[in-house]
Every structure is written in C-alpha cells, then in structure tokens.
Amino acid sequence: MAAIRPAAAAGSATAAVASALLVLLAAAAVCSGSSTATGDEAELIASTGSMSITTRGQVVVPAMYVFGDSLVDAGNNDFLQAPAPKAMPPNGVDLPRTILWRTGRFTNAYNLADIIAQHVGFRRSPRAYLSLTPLSWLDLLRGRVGTNYASGGSGILDVTGNGTITLREQVALFAKTKAAILRAGLVGREGLDGLLGRSLFVISTGGNDFGAFVDPGGVPLSRAPEFMAGMVADYLNYINELYKLGARRLVLLGVLPVGCLPSQRATTADGECDGDGNYLSELFNSLLRVEMAKAVTTSVPAMRYSIASLYNVLTDMIANPTLAGLREVKTACCGSGRFNGEVECSVDTNLCADRDEYLFWDTVHGTQAAYRRAVRAFFYGTTREAEPINLHQLLQDEQYYSAATARYSSI
C-alpha cells in the first residue's frame, strides 16, 4: 500500500489557550444574557419526511458535537499555524456564496458533518471550535447547536497527523466545553445532562492512522491485527470518556475503502483498488463493530449508536455507479497525475466541471454528491449501510438520557 497523503495536517492547539478562552467567553456570555436563540441555531433548513422541521428554531436534536478528521472538519485547521495545509480553493467551489471563501472543508462543497447536520435540522455543521465567536459561544453555553472539534489529518493515535488536534485533544476540548457551560450557569447540571443525552455525537477517525504501515520503518502488514486491536481499544477509551461526559447518541463513521482512493489506485499496475489498503479498512471496521457491541453490554449501557459503513456504501457506488447516479468513480475531480491521484488538488491542477457525477473530489476525499448519497443511506438504509440501527432509527428514541441514571465504568 502506498503512502496515504491526507490533504490535512496542521499545527497544534494548546490546551492552556483554549481553557483561557473558555473562561473568558463563559463570563462574557453570563453578562450578556440569553433571551433569544442566535447564531447557527437560527440557521435551519426545512426537510421532508418524518423528520421535517415545521417551525423556525425547532431541530431534531438540541446540539451536535463533531470529532475526527478531514471528512468532517469544518475549518479548525484554518486556525492552526503553518505549515498546516488549509482547505484553500478550489475546495469549497460549490458552496453557497454566503459562506466565506475560506471554508475549511476538504471537498467541493458540504462534507459529511454538514450533511448529517442538515438531516437533523441545521443548515450545516456546527461551527469549528477554533472559529467560535462570542455570539456562537452564547449558543454553546446554553447547551444548544454544539460545535465541531474535528481536525483534518488527525487520527486515533497521538502520533498521527503531527500538528493536528488529536482525538485525545478533541475529547479534552469537549470536557472543557462542558465545564465552561456549567460555570456559565445558563443551564444547570441536570438540564445539561438531558440536553447532552439527546444531542448527536459524530466521530470520523481511523483512516489516517494507516500511515503507520507505509512510513519508513513502519508496521509490517503481518502485524495488522495486533495494531488494529490497539487502535480500536484506544478508540473505545475515548468513546468511554465521551460517555462519562454525557454522550448517549453516537454516530461512528467507519473507515472508507482506502485501497480504492485515487491516491491508491495510482500506485497499482492495473489501476484497480489496492488490496492491502482495503484489507486494513475491513479489519478496522470489523473490530470496531465487535468491540462496540461488547461495550454497550458492559461499560456504556445507556449508549445508543450507529456505525455508518462508508466502506460498504462507497464500494457499492464503485460497483454500480449508474445506480448511484454517478459517472466517474475512479478518477478524482481535482488533482493531477494518474487518476488525478498523484498531485493534491489546487488551483494549478485539473478540475472537472461535472462535479455531481464524480465519486471522489481529490486524492482521498469524496464529493458533496457522493456524501449526500452516503448520508441518505446511513439514515434510511439497511444494516449493510448502518448497524445495528440506521441514523433515522437512532433519532427516534426520545428518551432523555441522564448521567445520573447510567452507571459509568472504564473500558
């Protein structure tokens, strides 16, 4: 398997600065009051079907908290220091003009976090944590809307994506966020537990960690089962931390078919998917399914979750592009070289005009069109697309989970 070049790696955010910012903004929010909904909470969309939004300000969930990598990053990497790559043009080329040119999204328009957010009533993903303004902090300190901690290029392992906000740091930032909400006093502890229990937590991570197998002196493929077991164990530790902090509705995006990315096709003699890359994806995804099923019977009993299979959905699109409404499922829309997968997307590389007909945007990311089809499958598909339940079913349970009624334990 060739080196996976995530188009996102960034400089680190310091916990001290983040903590200080939380305290200052919490104090500011308390002084300013909270009589009306503001910021992204007012930016809602009307949808059709059983999850329709009927009145302004009504959403399916109180808030959405996003963690992970470039598949869901809404702009945190834009605020990290050089040499962090940014999602510069032509990334975001198809976003509405009302969104600033610096979109922070590693695709042509909306990413997976945005589209999931749209399905639950928001206009797009909650704001990137590092982009929060005092006004949007006011929403957050009321336990509403949520925020996005994801950082492109990050992984489960601390050593992945040097300079990014690691998953460990993202979870720690959420802990600081919750502490700031309680200090602000705009919502009590019991009320916050109820809000968090009904909120949606979304995580996309794991794929960037596969770089450990291709780095000089990296992990041999023969050790993949052991390595993946360690990765999944670490992942579950972070999920357990989120559970202790109040998460009760969880969406885990499985790792996509890494071997079928344009960057990997470009390395194979026949131009087909790289078997080693897909083996790693399948191994990780299968272990995650098994260990999550165990966890909900022991350490996170009140957790309801859905594992969305990017692997199955994307491989189905590749196998049946016409059925998926796509024309090109091998070559990236933006980039250069074989399959447009050898040179990262930029203003100096190729750019397709018919982006809604492409599965892949660049060397490693999908297009908005592909993401929309994928999320629809996650919400309304069978257990092949999302298990043990789909996202629509996950949101049907209106039980108010309270931290006081579920015992905590460590994985």
Side-chain angles (χ1 to χ4, degrees), residues 58-366:
Q58 179 184 354
V59 292
V60 176
V61 296
M64 179 170 152
Y65 299 93
V66 184
F67 307 79
D69 53 28
S70 58
L71 298 184
V72 292
D73 185 352
N76 282 309
N77 276 16
D78 283 346
F79 296 87
L80 300 177
Q81 295 182 355
K86 310 293 191 283
M88 301 295 285
N91 285 289
V93 64
D94 295 316
L95 280 168
R97 292 175 180 240
T98 54
I99 298 179
L100 295 178
W101 68 272
R102 189 175 70 178
T103 71
R105 290 156 172 83
F106 294 89
T107 184
N108 61 304
Y110 291 122
N111 66 20
L112 287 165
D114 293 309
I115 299 167
I116 291 172
Q118 289 167 356
H119 273 260
V120 299
F122 295 104
R123 189 180 299 275
R124 52 184 171 266
S125 166
R127 284 181 177 268
Y129 175 79
L130 296 182
S131 76
L132 291 172
T133 64
L135 193 60
S136 52
W137 260 104
L138 181 57
D139 282 330
L140 187 59
L141 293 173
R142 294 169 55 245
R144 301 287 178 173
V145 180
T147 189
N148 186 320
Y149 303 95
S151 177
S154 68
I156 296 169
L157 306 177
D158 291 340
V159 297
T160 300
N162 182 33
T164 65
I165 308 173
T166 67
L167 186 58
R168 180 191 303 275
E169 292 171 328
Q170 292 175 38
V171 173
L173 288 174
F174 174 70
K176 292 179 183 296
T177 300
K178 181 179 180 181
I181 294 172
L182 293 173
R183 287 198 301 271
L186 301 180
V187 58
R189 183 177 295 276
E190 185 175 347
L192 179 58
D193 288 339
L195 290 170
L196 292 177
R198 290 182 289 121
S199 295
L200 191 63
F201 289 73
V202 179
I203 311 177
S204 168
T205 191
N208 289 325
D209 296 293
F210 293 2
F213 291 91
V214 296
D215 292 336
V219 180
L221 201 62
S222 60
R223 287 189 54 208
E226 173 189 351
F227 185 86
M228 292 297 178
M231 276 179 56
V232 171
D234 287 346
Y235 196 1
L236 290 180
N237 283 334
Y238 295 131
I239 291 171
N240 190 57
E241 287 302 312
L242 291 174
Y243 183 80
K244 290 179 179 180
L245 291 165
R248 294 296 183 271
R249 282 178 174 166
L250 179 65
V251 176
L252 302 176
L253 298 178
V255 172
L256 45 68
V258 167
C260 295
L261 299 175
S263 63
Q264 301 306 296
R265 280 189 189 272
T267 68
T268 63
D270 58 4
E272 294 303 314
C273 298
D274 173 66
D276 289 346
N278 282 353
Y279 163 69
L280 294 175
S281 297
E282 290 184 285
L283 180 58
F284 175 84
N285 290 335
S286 63
L287 285 171
L288 179 61
R289 289 193 298 269
V290 169
E291 295 306 318
M292 271 303 300
K294 291 179 182 178
V296 295
T297 65
T298 56
S299 53
V300 291
M303 181 74 84
R304 283 173 56 84
Y305 74 96
S306 178
I307 300 178
S309 180
L310 272 172
Y311 188 98
N312 287 344
V313 171
L314 266 60
T315 53
D316 286 348
M317 290 182 190
I318 293 169
N320 299 287
T322 303
L323 186 63
L326 301 172
R327 178 180 59 81
E328 179 54 65
V329 295
K330 296 182 178 181
T331 298
C333 171
C334 185
S336 295
R338 196 173 181 218
F339 297 105
N340 281 343
E342 296 179 310
V343 179
E344 299 291 355
C345 175
S346 75
V347 293
D348 298 319
T349 61
N350 301 321
L351 178 64
C352 70
D354 47 351
R355 292 178 281 278
D356 285 345
E357 297 183 3
Y358 275 69
L359 171 58
F360 292 106
W361 163 244
D362 61 12
T363 60
V364 297
H365 303 103

